[in-house]
Amino acid sequence: MFPKKRNRRLRSNKTFREMFQENHLSPNDFIVPLFITEGKNIKEDIKSMPDYYRMSIDLIKKEVKLLWEMGLRSVLLFPKIEKSLKNNTGSEALNPNGLIQRAIKEIKNSIPEMVIMTDVALDPYSSYGHDGIVENGKIINDLTVEILKKMAVSHASCGADVIAPSDMMDGTIKNIRLELEKEKFHETLIMSYSAKYASNFYGPFRSALDSSPGFGDKKTYQIDFHNSKQAIRKTITDIEEGADIVMIKPGLTYLDIVKELSSMINIPIASYQVSGEYSMLKAAAKKGYIDYEKTIYEQLIAFKRAGSKLIASYFAKEIVKKFL
Ligand code: PBG
């Protein structure tokens, strides 16, 4: 009998297609990145990221309330630090009354259930725009980690639920875990940006925070995009050091790494659909070249198919509103 197999049967009508759908998106899959700036009632355009904004803490609180009501369950906070507060050691990162510390406390107070994640790295605080301390043109690993572990405790003590180190130094996860335990933050999660590539897709984000490296690039700490084994090894190291969640970044172009890891490891994997990916889709949509929401939705499903449980995405709110 011909044909023995008719592959189209499983998709021959809508009900079948729904019954056999393997991957779904839910609002609780998303992490919403938020940019915070000083002041009151401030909502600033970000030139490199159309329709995304930097907001002062009062407006961020309103935004977070809205996100919670829509079913979104986690936010990832990024502060824009004034130039005058930046230096080589990023000392403002440890200011108990700094912008990020105040933001964490205020959001926690007004919407306690919302999961607050915080980026731990020196770049927004560094006068060099690097993720670590610079000496003679080099990024100094161990000195940087000493500061990052204090930064993590500072965030946890303000109420952060998940510490997300994005610095790509060696030993960060172990040192942060030990420090959190020592300070009795036994329940604080660590989401390591375990495989963060030296990517060209971060450009719009660096403009948003005014955090571009002042010299050189980040290739001595972030991973060379020609490689995958280093990303796997770094991720395994971070899990051994105590990470609860690992993140692969950027998103779409690194799904091979997610797929490989998802058959190897048994803790949740997150992907970060980064600023460059956001701005490219926005630009194409504004030109009318693509069907905006449907294209984004398709990309987000690709993350799920590859094995990401969580997706940090600047599209989270729009997509939840439209489809979920
Ligand atoms: C900082 C950090 C960066 C991003 C997240 N955390 C930039 C960088 O490493 O230069 C990029 C996010 C994005 O592009 O959306 N360590």
Side-chain angles (χ1 to χ4, degrees):
M1 196 183 18
F2 176 82
K4 201 166 159 199
K5 289 185 182 164
R6 285 190 184 273
N7 286 316
R8 290 177 57 190
R9 276 189 206 114
L10 290 183
R11 50 183 181 269
S12 60
N13 65 56
K14 188 162 185 283
T15 310
F16 276 159
R17 289 195 296 276
E18 284 170 0
M19 279 171 67
F20 302 128
Q21 181 175 323
E22 296 168 31
N23 293 285
H24 298 82
L25 262 181
S26 141
N28 65 27
D29 291 330
F30 287 107
I31 299 167
V32 186
L34 294 174
F35 297 116
I36 305 168
T37 193
E38 284 291 358
K40 270 210 155 47
N41 202 25
I42 294 201
K43 183 174 179 180
E44 290 170 347
D45 286 327
I46 300 171
K47 238 190 175 159
S48 52
M49 299 178 69
D51 306 330
Y52 223 76
Y53 304 94
R54 273 185 306 260
M55 286 182 263
S56 49
I57 295 177
D58 51 337
L59 297 192
I60 286 279
K61 281 196 291 188
K62 286 189 188 150
E63 180 72 9
V64 173
K65 202 160 241 150
L66 185 72
L67 295 171
W68 180 263
E69 282 160 9
M70 292 173 69
L72 290 148
R73 292 294 175 255
S74 65
V75 293
L76 177 56
L77 308 181
F78 295 99
K80 179 168 194 299
I81 304 300
E82 287 167 30
K83 237 194 189 83
S84 62
L85 297 173
K86 298 186 185 190
N87 58 30
N88 186 23
T89 57
S91 55
E92 177 63 15
L94 304 181
N95 178 355
N97 204 28
L99 178 59
I100 191 76
Q101 284 81 0
R102 277 177 280 131
I104 299 167
K105 279 188 207 158
E106 292 210 26
I107 298 170
K108 225 1 152 210
N109 272 336
S110 66
I111 313 109
E113 301 94 333
M114 182 62 98
V115 171
I116 299 182
M117 304 182 167
T118 57
D119 193 85
V120 168
L122 291 187
D123 54 325
Y125 301 95
S126 158
S127 40
Y128 292 105
H130 272 290
D131 292 30
I133 296 175
V134 178
E135 274 175 21
N136 302 322
K138 288 197 168 171
I139 315 303
I140 308 300
N141 194 92
D142 300 10
L143 280 179
T144 301
V145 172
E146 285 305 303
I147 297 180
L148 296 179
K149 71 184 194 194
K150 291 185 194 139
M151 189 174 172
V153 166
S154 167
H155 293 179
S157 68
C158 295
D161 304 284
V162 182
I163 301 299
S166 70
D167 54 293
M168 288 295 288
M169 300 298 122
D170 286 322
T172 305
I173 303 304
K174 179 179 172 192
N175 278 283
I176 288 181
R177 177 57 80 207
L178 288 172
E179 196 71 7
L180 287 171
E181 286 292 322
K182 195 174 109 198
E183 300 295 328
K184 307 242 177 323
F185 293 107
H186 305 304
E187 291 181 355
T188 306
L189 278 75
I190 299 177
M191 176 172 74
S192 174
Y193 288 64
S194 63
K196 181 169 177 185
Y197 280 87
S199 171
N200 299 295
F201 289 101
Y202 307 145
F205 172 98
R206 292 178 186 168
S207 312
L209 291 187
D210 192 16
S211 65
S212 295
F215 70 89
D217 51 40
K218 298 193 175 186
K219 289 182 183 168
T220 67
Y221 44 108
Q222 299 179 352
I223 297 171
D224 182 336
F225 56 72
H226 299 88
N227 302 330
S228 51
K229 291 194 197 312
Q230 291 185 18
I232 304 297
R233 188 159 78 119
K234 170 68 163 57
T235 301
I236 300 295
T237 306
D238 284 0
I239 296 172
E240 286 165 2
E241 290 188 7
D244 301 287
I245 307 166
V246 287
M247 180 183 263
I248 310 305
K249 183 178 166 191
L252 205 65
T253 34
Y254 295 84
L255 290 184
D256 54 327
I257 308 296
V258 173
K259 184 78 186 170
E260 190 169 338
L261 282 170
S262 69
S263 61
M264 266 170 97
I265 65 174
N266 48 22
I267 65 169
I269 301 174
S271 277
Y272 199 138
Q273 185 187 42
V274 300
S275 58
E277 302 179 76
Y278 171 84
S279 298
M280 285 195 300
L281 282 167
K282 272 282 169 189
K286 288 204 188 287
K287 290 259 188 188
Y289 294 158
I290 54 167
D291 183 321
Y292 178 61
E293 277 109 349
K294 285 186 182 165
T295 312
I296 297 165
Y297 179 79
E298 184 180 332
Q299 289 205 357
L300 293 168
I301 289 293
F303 287 100
K304 302 293 299 191
R305 230 173 38 239
S308 306
K309 172 57 190 85
L310 298 174
I311 310 164
S313 172
Y314 302 101
F315 294 119
K317 188 177 164 190
E318 284 178 283
I319 288 303
V320 167
K321 200 184 276 172
K322 177 85 183 178
F323 296 106
L324 309 174

